Amino acid sequence: MGKAKKEEEVVFLRKKITLLRAFSLLIGTMVGSGIFISPKGVLKNSGNVGVSLIVWFARGILSLSGALCYAELGTRITKSGGHYIYILETLGPLPSFLYLWAEYFAIGPANSAVLSLAFGNYILEPFFAPCAAPLPAVKLAALLGYYVVLILNSWSVSCSARLQNVLTVIKLLAFALIIVPGMMLLAQGHTENFQDAFSSQLLTLDKMPLAFYAGMFAYSGWFQTSFVQEELVRPEQNNPLAVIMSVVTVIVGYMLTNVSYYTVLTAEDVLASQAVAVSFAQKAFQRLISVIPILVALSCFGTMNGGIFGFSRCRRLELRFLYCSMSSLRTLFVASREGQWPPLFSMIHIRRRTPLPAIMLMFPLVTAMVCIGDIYHLLNFFSFSRWLFIGLATLGLIIHRYRHPELPRPFKVPLFIPVCFTIVCLFAVGMSFYSDPVYVSTGCAMVLSGFPVYFLVISRPIPDCCRTTFHYLTLKLQVLLEVVRQEVKTY
């Protein structure tokens, strides 16, 4: 009886994320390489210093609004899976599959490519200053950095986790080395770069959606607790508290960082720089010129590493596989549980506990995007899909309220918050076609390419014989690899 009962157990995730851990998770994912990448993109697409600072503050408030909407969704839909599960439960299987398709063939690879290119820029810029680093060298360094992350995460999750702890400290140190000197110079009266901060000569209202994308890239991470909803302790209380405390903290930190940048650098300096932190170090203090860029490069490396590492055990008794369970890779686990993604790509190596299938899925896509793209065009490319589906998720919250008024509401935001957030997201997505038609249209085409896949593969049930054959071949392949490993070890 005990054995039969055990076999009927379903996959579960333990509740182990407290308020402090949720706050740390959100801070660790939001405070990253975005603050070192986005300032140039925000300034370039807003036109002047004053408007760019308003954009940074407005994007922070918008992130807080989105985080509160997701907190309410999390108390109503208590499954993990983030955007995917919210769209699935409120709008249905087709939009959720399109998000899944865009996530793993556009959003995820392009995001990794942006971080890789930022790493390449910052690691090489000190060696070529005051000139810009050659583009082929930047791309080569970006690919090498990404491959190191892949190898490390394919070899050992525990090593990746320990390295991530060190890199998080380095990231915060780089953050402090920009804020503290900038505030000291501002206190000494260096305000000349803020004169005529709202000049209308360079104001570019038609590019504001791209400034939206650049700013929100830096704040991205406020939705991270939605991926671990099943593991939150007292989610109806801890989730809203964690997002409010973390987003307010990050807003203050980002505003201070940008004020520090503009205290030292003119708008022309920021626009001309390939690596803003390098230019900041050059002007602020020569002794730290090699320290800050290296710390920022390691911060970008840590953000890449943080997107892969972090896994915990889940039960699937009939096969005893271990599943990815952190960040967006956790969505693979949830999607396979819902029958919209092959279980193979949610599995991890049975001995090393590393997400080899998911890594191999993104590896060629990231390589191609690093080779053919640049940071800001790739940012526009994947931001279209990301903010389209985030807007749809909050639209789903509004629809879900009216469809299911009988459900308990342990946490509820005023209706105007999801309405305003949804309108802003979808308006920015629509206007971005005018601002950057080529890359945004490419991102749109990537989303639309999921339609035939859904109707040919997902909406039609896979025959039992094909499913059985697939699982049989997967098991045989794993057994064969284990036999080969044992023979090589014996030899």
Side-chain angles (χ1 to χ4, degrees):
M1 289 291 293
K3 185 177 180 180
K5 184 178 180 181
K6 209 171 188 179
E7 289 178 351
E8 292 176 358
E9 286 189 52
V10 296
V11 178
F12 71 92
L13 297 167
R14 292 179 296 173
K15 289 185 177 295
K16 57 187 179 181
I17 300 180
T18 61
L19 174 61
L20 180 59
R21 289 180 177 179
F23 174 78
S24 302
L25 172 65
L26 290 169
I27 289 291
T29 49
M30 277 192 287
V31 179
S33 54
I35 189 59
F36 308 118
I37 298 172
S38 298
K40 178 179 177 179
V42 173
L43 179 61
K44 179 180 178 181
N45 293 301
S46 61
N48 59 53
V49 172
V51 174
S52 70
L53 291 176
I54 293 175
V55 167
W56 277 101
F57 182 75
R59 295 307 173 249
I61 299 300
L62 192 66
S63 297
L64 180 59
S65 302
L68 291 174
C69 294
Y70 268 51
E72 179 179 340
L73 280 167
T75 59
R76 291 166 173 264
I77 303 167
T78 56
K79 298 179 182 178
S80 296
H83 322 300
Y84 167 76
I85 201 66
Y86 295 157
I87 295 172
L88 176 65
E89 294 289 331
T90 59
L91 300 180
L94 175 57
S96 65
F97 177 78
L98 292 178
Y99 163 73
L100 198 65
W101 181 262
E103 173 66 34
Y104 292 100
F105 292 100
I107 301 173
N111 186 52
S112 296
V114 167
L115 296 174
S116 302
L117 288 168
F119 169 80
N121 268 324
Y122 275 104
I123 203 70
L124 292 181
E125 196 72 19
F127 299 102
F128 291 91
C131 300
L135 185 59
V138 170
K139 291 183 180 291
L140 179 60
L143 289 175
L144 290 176
Y146 181 70
Y147 294 157
V148 168
V149 169
L150 290 190
I151 293 170
L152 181 63
N153 283 273
S154 299
W155 181 259
S156 171
V157 168
S158 60
C159 290
S160 300
R162 286 193 291 268
L163 176 62
Q164 188 65 19
N165 292 333
V166 175
L167 293 175
T168 299
V169 175
I170 291 175
K171 177 168 56 178
L172 296 176
L173 179 60
F175 206 42
L177 282 176
I178 292 174
I179 292 177
V180 174
M183 292 299 101
M184 291 174 63
L185 290 173
L186 186 65
Q188 294 171 8
H190 293 273
T191 59
E192 57 273 10
N193 293 339
F194 295 99
Q195 303 297 325
D196 201 20
F198 290 92
S199 172
S200 60
Q201 294 180 355
L202 299 176
L203 190 62
T204 53
L205 295 178
D206 59 320
K207 297 291 185 181
M208 287 302 289
L210 303 185
F212 168 89
Y213 286 163
M216 293 304 285
F217 173 72
Y219 283 102
S220 61
W222 52 261
F223 43 72
Q224 202 67 31
T225 52
S226 63
F227 291 102
V228 295
Q229 187 65 36
E230 294 176 32
E231 297 162 82
L232 284 172
V233 177
R234 300 174 64 187
E236 68 281 355
Q237 176 180 328
N238 290 339
N239 198 358
L241 285 175
V243 298
I244 291 172
M245 292 189 301
S246 59
V247 175
V248 170
T249 302
V250 172
I251 290 174
V252 173
Y254 280 3
M255 292 302 295
L256 292 177
T257 303
N258 279 280
V259 169
S260 296
Y261 282 144
Y262 293 125
T263 300
V264 175
L265 303 172
T266 64
E268 291 74 17
D269 292 333
V270 173
L271 292 174
S273 175
Q274 296 298 320
V276 178
V278 175
S279 302
F280 177 88
Q282 286 176 328
K283 282 204 169 184
F285 24 59
Q286 292 292 334
R287 291 182 180 180
L288 292 180
I289 185 174
S290 61
V291 175
I292 288 182
I294 290 173
L295 292 179
V296 174
L298 291 175
S299 172
C300 297
F301 186 88
T303 307
M304 286 191 288
N305 185 63
I308 298 177
F309 99 95
F311 306 91
S312 63
R313 296 190 180 187
C314 305
R315 291 186 183 178
R316 188 180 178 91
L317 295 174
E318 67 272 18
L319 296 178
R320 294 187 182 181
F321 283 128
L322 296 171
Y323 284 81
C324 304
S325 63
M326 189 64 185
S327 188
S328 59
L329 289 178
R330 184 182 257 97
T331 307
L332 288 174
F333 162 65
V334 177
S336 66
R337 187 172 64 181
E338 299 291 337
Q340 286 199 337
W341 201 254
L344 174 64
F345 293 106
S346 67
M347 296 174 186
I348 68 176
H349 194 281
I350 199 166
R351 288 186 302 107
R352 297 198 178 278
R353 313 295 191 258
T354 55
L356 286 177
I359 288 175
M360 292 300 103
L361 177 66
M362 289 192 181
F363 164 74
L365 294 172
V366 175
T367 302
M369 290 181 181
V370 169
C371 292
I372 65 176
D374 67 81
I375 288 179
Y376 297 104
H377 284 135
L378 286 173
L379 188 62
N380 298 336
F381 165 72
F382 82 81
S383 293
F384 165 82
S385 303
R386 169 177 280 179
W387 294 104
L388 170 64
F389 287 107
I390 288 177
L392 290 179
T394 53
L395 175 63
L397 168 62
I398 301 170
I399 295 172
H400 196 260
R401 275 193 184 185
Y402 287 98
R403 283 183 179 173
H404 304 282
E406 75 284 355
L407 292 179
R409 302 183 181 95
F411 176 76
K412 183 180 179 181
V413 295
L415 183 61
F416 77 89
I417 292 180
V419 169
C420 293
F421 183 84
T422 302
I423 290 173
V424 170
C425 286
L426 297 183
F427 177 77
V429 165
M431 284 296 296
S432 63
F433 281 100
Y434 175 77
S435 303
D436 190 355
V438 176
Y439 280 84
V440 172
S441 298
T442 305
C444 181
M446 183 62 70
V447 174
L448 296 177
S449 67
F451 274 97
V453 178
Y454 176 81
F455 288 110
L456 292 175
V457 178
I458 304 301
S459 62
R460 295 183 180 182
I462 300 175
D464 291 338
C465 59
C466 295
R467 185 182 291 106
T468 303
T469 302
F470 178 78
H471 285 302
Y472 174 76
L473 292 175
T474 302
L475 287 174
K476 291 291 288 183
L477 179 61
Q478 288 207 359
V479 171
L480 178 62
L481 291 174
E482 185 67 20
V483 169
V484 171
R485 186 188 67 82
Q486 292 292 345
E487 290 181 354
V488 170
K489 185 177 180 181
T490 303
Y491 178 77

